[in-house]
Amino acid sequence: MKFTAFLKTRGATAAIFMGSFYAVAMLGIFLPGYTAIPGNVDKLPIAIINDDAGKNGAMIAENLQENLPFKEIETDITNKQALKDLEHNDLALVVHIPKTFSENIQKGEASSSIDFTINEAGATVVSSTMNSVVTEINNQLSTQFSQQTAQGVLMNFNVPEKQAAELAEKIEKSYVGNVFTINEIPDGMNHNMLPMFLTMAGYVGAMIGAMQLVGAFRASRGKASKTRLFAYVQMAALLIAVVSSIIAVGVAYLIDKPSGDLFFGIVGQQILNYMVCFNFTAILIFLFGEGGMILNLPILLMQTIANGATITRDMMHAPYEWMSHISPMYYSVQAYFANLFGSISPSPYIWSMAAVGAVAMLINMSIVAFLHKPMPVQVSETEVEKKAAEITA
């Protein structure tokens, strides 16, 4: 057999196709998706709340609105509501100028401060970007207020040494930017990526499981009704979901050591995640057989960007944002962020994920019911002998 003949075999041609297809799919999905960083950072919504009655707070708030690189800046909102929106990741940053800001400047008795609040329980790009933005703002404001204070000091050169030291300290501490972080995530990228990795483990396992179990469904046609076989597929998937979820969460606890109180909740979500992803990926396999697996690959790649672990919906390009609304991975990742690190209930994301799974299962049931032709059930020799014995008796 010649090498050219070998290359024409089904396995070789399939390998050549998959190598080329996967390269095009991965680069064609990942590279455009990640152009949103930092290109779409300006789409992140923030809030600037000025409670200062004096002119200094109004001046700073106006300057921030003009100079910060964000298109959506909320100002007509209370600090309490803004912090609540921040917890739900509806805002990326809350800047609060307190009521006594101008008063502190005028008295010179206490450091003038502005509060910056960031939520870490969300997309990694958001928290890192907001930290950089806050650092830059604080540096500029600190320089500005130090210069203003120094101008007043320079008006009186002949001051005692002790008083000079006090004035120097006053210049240094004339402005303080208070940076608050809610829902802090422990140090280590493994903690930041845990929601995505748990979700990916369930999704990839479910996608491969769907290929194998739907293959078993097709191979078993004629041995039982298609309704019974479909039920068997779902029961087998549930069994795999339980076993694999306990193992996956166990590994996560060995390495990342989340709170023990969350164990059963995380296992439950992982089981749901597997079943939803199983039915979601099984649609194309029920429709196209093994060819459906090829179509599932770009959908998986697209969801690695659309799941919200790295960038938020506000930053995503339109196709990825659309995918996030029907993506089981998006709702799973957000639920894990809320459950593992957040201060809000993961229930809305859990219910949304369950809804995606329910719709996917209904689609699979419809495909089996209307597109898969019924086949006569073959009776095994053992069953024939058993029925004959019953008739004889």
Side-chain angles (χ1 to χ4, degrees), residues 76-339:
D76 189 18
I77 187 174
T78 64
N79 189 48
K80 183 178 180 180
Q81 182 60 46
L83 292 175
K84 185 177 180 180
D85 291 345
L86 183 68
E87 287 186 19
H88 289 80
N89 285 313
D90 294 329
L91 290 172
L93 171 68
V94 174
V95 182
H96 179 227
I97 304 173
K99 186 177 181 180
T100 58
F101 184 75
S102 290
E103 182 182 346
N104 288 343
I105 291 176
Q106 292 170 359
K107 288 182 178 180
E109 297 175 355
S111 296
S112 305
S113 62
I114 295 178
D115 300 332
F116 300 87
T117 310
I118 302 166
N119 184 8
E120 283 196 356
T124 53
V125 168
V126 175
S127 57
S128 60
T129 299
M130 291 304 115
N131 272 304
S132 299
V133 168
V134 169
T135 299
E136 182 63 25
I137 293 173
N138 279 330
N139 289 338
Q140 292 182 6
L141 289 176
S142 180
T143 301
Q144 178 183 343
F145 282 103
S146 294
Q147 288 174 349
Q148 290 177 359
T149 306
Q151 287 175 2
V153 173
L154 291 173
M155 294 177 67
N156 186 4
F157 287 99
N158 300 318
V159 293
E161 184 179 349
K162 182 178 179 181
Q163 189 176 351
E166 292 175 354
L167 288 173
E169 185 178 357
K170 179 181 176 182
I171 293 174
E172 185 180 351
K173 297 183 178 180
S174 58
Y175 168 79
V176 175
N178 296 323
V179 182
F180 300 100
T181 302
I182 62 172
N183 304 324
E184 290 190 33
I185 297 177
D187 292 335
M189 200 65 181
N190 55 309
H191 296 289
N192 291 80
M193 300 307 293
L194 180 59
M196 180 176 174
F197 288 161
L198 276 171
T199 299
M200 286 282 289
Y203 191 102
V204 174
M207 183 172 68
I208 297 172
M211 182 181 68
Q212 299 294 335
L213 290 178
V214 174
F217 170 89
R218 291 176 179 273
S220 301
R221 295 293 304 277
K223 297 179 182 179
S225 68
K226 60 182 181 180
T227 302
R228 175 173 290 188
L229 287 175
F230 183 81
Y232 288 167
V233 166
Q234 296 296 327
M235 290 166 61
L238 181 59
L239 177 62
I240 297 168
V242 172
V243 174
S244 64
S245 296
I246 292 173
I247 294 172
V249 176
V251 172
Y253 266 81
L254 284 174
I255 299 171
D256 278 25
K257 300 177 176 60
S259 170
D261 297 338
L262 301 174
F263 180 82
F264 291 106
I266 297 174
V267 169
Q269 181 182 329
Q270 189 71 0
I271 292 171
L272 176 63
N273 174 44
Y274 186 97
M275 291 303 297
V276 171
C277 295
F278 174 84
N279 280 283
F280 185 82
T281 55
I283 293 174
L284 292 174
I285 301 175
F286 271 121
L287 280 173
F288 305 112
E290 291 182 1
M293 194 67 173
I294 299 175
L295 299 176
N296 270 326
L297 284 175
I299 295 175
L300 166 63
L301 295 174
M302 197 166 185
Q303 287 182 85
T304 58
I305 295 176
N307 64 34
T310 305
I311 59 178
T312 66
R313 274 179 177 168
D314 301 297
M315 295 179 64
M316 294 176 192
H317 295 305
Y320 303 90
E321 182 188 353
W322 297 336
M323 173 60 74
S324 73
H325 290 282
I326 62 169
S327 163
M329 284 183 67
Y330 176 85
Y331 298 113
S332 177
V333 167
Q334 302 310 310
Y336 274 132
F337 268 125
N339 200 8

